[in-house]
Amino acid sequence: MEAGSNDAVLSFIRLLHQDDLLETLRRLPPHHWQRFAQHLHPSDVANLPTELPEAHCTPFIESVDADLFADILAELEDPEIQKAIQHIERHDLAEMLAEMESDDAADILGEMSQSQARRVLEEMPLEEAEEIKELLK
């Protein structure tokens, strides 16, 4: 795709209303979701994991990379975070949290049960896990 047409696509995507984003994602095959979502600001797609139908939520989460999903999680409020992360495998969540600012990751883990948070921390790289543990104290 040429740069000019890519800019036009980005402009169109930014104009979409949240409901239109949901409808667009529902129509796209899941393997196209990452490409679509990477052109949006995380705040534009932040509610998608919580608003998509259950059958689409896990494929959406699996289609975006850890960096983007970490940015999406940082945009959500606590109840929406819990709904979004319930669909994520523990090792994937650990990877995503390791990509986030430590205080944001600590906030998310702080909303989980101690045993859940401990299991996620065990999956994280040691340095990031230690830093987050300090914040959780």
Side-chain angles (χ1 to χ4, degrees):
M1 189 180 299
E2 295 179 28
S5 63
N6 195 32
D7 291 341
V9 169
L10 290 176
S11 295
F12 170 74
I13 289 172
R14 289 186 185 111
L15 291 173
L16 290 173
H17 184 273
Q18 186 74 17
D19 293 337
D20 296 330
L21 284 173
L22 287 168
E23 187 57 33
T24 301
L25 279 176
R26 287 183 182 120
R27 291 177 185 218
L28 287 173
H31 63 276
H32 289 290
W33 291 352
Q34 166 68 28
R35 189 169 174 211
F36 178 78
Q38 74 186 10
H39 294 293
L40 298 169
H41 187 275
S43 64
D44 295 329
V45 293
N47 290 325
L48 292 178
T50 62
E51 293 181 14
L52 284 170
E54 195 75 22
H56 290 83
C57 191
T58 301
F60 173 77
I61 291 169
E62 291 172 350
S63 74
V64 298
D65 64 31
D67 290 337
L68 176 59
F69 199 72
D71 291 341
I72 290 170
L73 286 177
E75 296 288 334
L76 295 173
E77 297 296 323
D78 288 340
E80 290 86 18
I81 290 171
Q82 296 310 311
K83 185 175 180 189
I85 66 174
Q86 73 183 357
H87 302 283
I88 304 172
E89 295 290 328
R90 188 172 48 238
H91 66 275
D92 293 332
L93 180 58
E95 180 182 341
M96 291 171 192
L97 293 176
E99 297 295 328
M100 298 177 76
E101 294 292 326
S102 296
D103 58 333
D104 290 333
D107 289 343
I108 292 169
L109 288 172
E111 294 296 319
M112 302 171 83
S113 72
Q114 286 185 347
S115 63
Q116 287 175 314
R118 186 179 64 252
R119 288 191 301 267
V120 172
L121 285 166
E122 289 169 355
E123 299 272 344
M124 292 178 74
L126 186 59
E127 185 176 326
E128 285 87 354
E130 292 297 325
E131 187 173 336
I132 293 169
K133 286 178 189 176
E134 285 298 313
L135 293 170
L136 288 171
K137 289 183 181 180

